[in-house]
Every structure is written in structure tokens, then in C-alpha cells.
Amino acid sequence: MNVNIPIDFFRFDGSRAFSSQDFPTKIEAFYDGKKEYKKLLEEFQEEIDDLQNMMYAHDKYAMLLIFQAMDAAGKDGTIRHVMSGINPHGVVVSSFKKPSSEELDHDYLWRTQKQLPQRGRIGIFNRSYYEEVLVVKVHPGILTGGQKIPSEHLEDVDKVFEDRYHDIKNMEGFLHRNGTQIVKFYLHLSKAEQKERFMDRLNTPAKNWKFSEHDVKERGYWDKYMLAYEDVINKTATPDSPWYAIPADDKKNMRLIVSAIILHHMQGLDMKYPEVDEARKAEFQTYRDMLDNE
């Protein structure tokens, strides 16, 4: 593949700090025009699909891809474009919105734990348990307004979030040690680009359905969200479960970068197709003869 995407530039694994102000929302494109973009994306899809088939046959690893971003950053489109060429039998996408009454009757990790991928499969979380240290941190009233947490555990709200970072890191470490490779993407969109995309949704009839006044209201908390994302990345990034900050103002470039990172992590798994022993190979000849003599 004739593209060199510097994965380490986007990677945050706890060895350096992430700053939303210092990290770019747009960089030089890794493609030269729509035709080359499409060709590169298809090549990534083919390689990811081949490795996912091997992962399924190997049946020891799973992969969890987490996508977090501000509204209109392109999570849905990135998931759809990057994974469209992958065998659907091996990929499961889960989206997490406002918790249901049943979900609120359990701990905050419960609803996502139920959707973790089986061995041999790729699970994709469109939003995730990280909402509990993003949206809830920006709106701490959620803690006391419906999460049913005992009052004695809410005396120090800052500690609640520190404990959640700790819980999440431990949970992800546990999953990693049991064969789940976790790769976390933060799609880093600029405030100016978000405004353009909101206006496009308002002005294009075919996109009106995408517009939500709630998204515009949340835009008013932009600075608080940026600080929350910085805390999330800096306090939960590890070498085994890294975060990747992806410049999101150029959707095509973003999809290529995400594809390259997924492929990189799949290539790093110690996988192979199951080997057949000699006795079984001898049996194959019997079945060949049976089929030839039909």
C-alpha cells in the first residue's frame, strides 16, 4: 500500500499528555483526490477483512474499537465507511445513548459489558462507558438526578470521577489480559467545523433529520467538554489500551487514519489459521475420493 501514515503521532498511551488546544483538528491529507482516497480505503478494508477472518478462525482474540467525539464529528460515517467491506458476521456495532430505566438500575458499566465482543470478533462502541466521565462530568447533576448512587458515595464529586477513571483502567486491563485488544478513538473536531456541519444539516432537506437542538445546546459547553476529553485521555490511556486522537475536520483523511490504526493493531496480534494434524489430513483424502466418485 502506497501510503505512510505515522500512527505514533496520533497515539496517546500515557507516555505524553494530550492537549485539545495543541493537537490539530486538520492535517495534510494522505490522499490526492477522491479516486485515490477510495482506492486506499478499499485496500485497507481488504486487509482488515483478511485479518478478521483469521481472527475468527484463531478464536482467541477479540477487538473492541471505541469511538468518542463531539456531535457531528463523523462517528457514524467513519464506522460505516471503514468497516463496510468487513464480513458482517465478524463485526458487531453497539450504540449507547441516554441510559434506560433498566440500565439505571445497574452500575454504569453494566450496559456496555453486555455488548463486549466474543473471541474472534470485532466489537465497535459508538459512544461507550466513557460517557460517564464526559457528559456526566460536564453535567454533574446527572449523578444526583437519576443515577441512583447512594448519597454517601456522592459527598466528593471529584473523587467519583477519579474512581471511575481507576475503574475503567482496571476493567480495560482485565479485558486485555483475557484477549481483548482495545483501541480507543477520539475524533478531534474544531468548533468552527462543527458549526458548518450543523448549518449544513439545517440547510439541506435530506440532512434535516440529523439535526438536534440538543446538539446545539451541548455546543455551549464546548470548553468544558474539551477539558473533560483531556482528562479522559490523560487518565485512561495505557500502552495496552491506547487512545488515538484523530484530526476530524477532513472526514476522508480521518477514515484513512482510523483504518491504518485498526490494521496496525490487528497485524500486531499473534494469530494464525488452525493447523490440521496428519491424521486429519489423511481423512481429507477419503472425502476427496467420495466427492470425486459422486
Side-chain angles (χ1 to χ4, degrees):
M1 185 179 295
N2 295 321
V3 59
N4 182 23
I5 296 178
I7 290 173
D8 286 345
F9 175 76
F10 310 102
R11 179 185 175 97
F12 290 86
D13 59 9
S15 61
R16 60 178 176 137
F18 171 75
S19 166
S20 61
Q21 289 185 335
D22 296 337
F23 198 81
T25 59
K26 188 172 185 178
I27 59 174
E28 186 176 351
F30 294 107
Y31 63 97
D32 184 16
K34 186 175 181 179
K35 184 176 181 180
E36 184 181 17
Y37 157 74
K38 184 176 180 181
K39 178 178 179 291
L40 290 171
L41 187 62
E42 288 175 351
E43 289 176 359
F44 276 125
Q45 289 170 342
E46 289 175 5
E47 292 192 51
I48 292 171
D49 185 48
D50 286 343
L51 286 171
Q52 198 287 313
N53 286 330
M54 184 183 291
M55 177 188 286
Y56 187 84
H58 187 70
D59 200 28
K60 290 186 179 179
Y61 292 105
M63 178 168 280
L64 175 61
L65 308 177
I66 294 176
F67 288 86
Q68 293 286 162
M70 295 295 286
D71 296 306
K75 296 185 304 299
D76 293 350
T78 298
I79 293 168
R80 183 173 64 252
H81 283 82
V82 172
M83 307 306 290
S84 64
I86 315 305
N87 186 341
H89 184 69
V91 179
V92 179
V93 180
S94 302
S95 297
F96 300 97
K97 300 184 183 298
K98 185 178 179 179
S100 68
S101 58
E102 180 188 18
E103 290 167 346
L104 288 172
D105 274 336
H106 294 81
D107 65 89
Y108 72 92
L109 291 173
W110 180 77
R111 65 175 182 161
T112 51
Q113 293 292 105
K114 296 193 302 177
Q115 304 300 328
L116 290 172
Q118 298 170 255
R119 298 187 193 279
R121 292 168 175 82
I122 298 174
I124 300 174
F125 282 2
N126 186 342
R127 301 191 187 277
S128 67
Y129 43 83
Y130 279 105
E131 295 292 281
E132 299 295 331
V133 284
L134 289 168
V135 176
V136 179
K137 190 166 188 181
V138 172
H139 302 285
I142 294 173
L143 286 172
T144 56
Q147 291 208 337
K148 302 184 180 181
I149 300 171
S151 58
E152 64 265 27
H153 297 301
L154 294 176
E155 294 175 357
D156 185 343
V157 173
D158 290 337
K159 186 176 184 302
V160 171
F161 293 112
E162 291 300 322
D163 287 343
R164 288 187 173 187
Y165 298 136
H166 181 72
D167 293 339
I168 288 170
K169 283 182 71 173
N170 282 345
M171 183 269 293
E172 291 181 344
F174 167 79
L175 291 175
H176 178 80
R177 292 189 298 273
N178 283 273
T180 298
Q181 172 69 70
I182 301 172
V183 186
K184 302 174 289 192
F185 296 101
Y186 164 53
L187 308 184
H188 189 38
L189 184 72
S190 69
K191 193 174 184 180
E193 180 64 21
Q194 187 195 56
K195 179 179 178 179
E196 287 192 21
R197 294 181 187 181
F198 281 168
M199 292 296 289
D200 185 46
R201 290 177 180 183
L202 286 166
N203 297 330
T204 307
K207 296 181 180 180
N208 287 167
W209 65 274
K210 291 184 176 182
F211 180 77
S212 168
E213 55 270 27
H214 173 75
D215 295 344
V216 176
K217 291 179 181 178
E218 288 302 285
R219 178 178 166 83
Y221 299 94
W222 185 275
D223 291 343
K224 289 186 177 181
Y225 271 109
M226 292 301 101
L227 291 175
Y229 272 109
E230 288 179 4
D231 279 345
V232 160
I233 293 173
N234 292 327
K235 294 183 179 182
T236 66
T238 67
D240 292 332
S241 300
W243 275 99
Y244 289 91
I246 313 297
D249 285 5
D250 180 339
K251 291 182 179 180
K252 292 183 176 63
N253 217 33
M254 173 175 65
R255 294 165 190 163
L256 292 178
I257 296 167
V258 168
S259 298
I261 292 167
I262 294 172
L263 180 60
H264 168 77
H265 278 275
M266 296 190 78
Q267 290 172 333
L269 298 177
D270 184 16
M271 301 186 300
K272 61 181 179 180
Y273 284 103
E275 296 181 1
V276 178
D277 59 30
E278 293 302 318
R280 183 62 172 162
K281 289 180 181 178
E283 290 179 9
F284 285 174
Q285 188 56 50
T286 300
Y287 297 121
R288 290 191 191 97
D289 293 341
M290 291 173 61
L291 291 169
D292 285 338
N293 293 328
E294 282 184 346

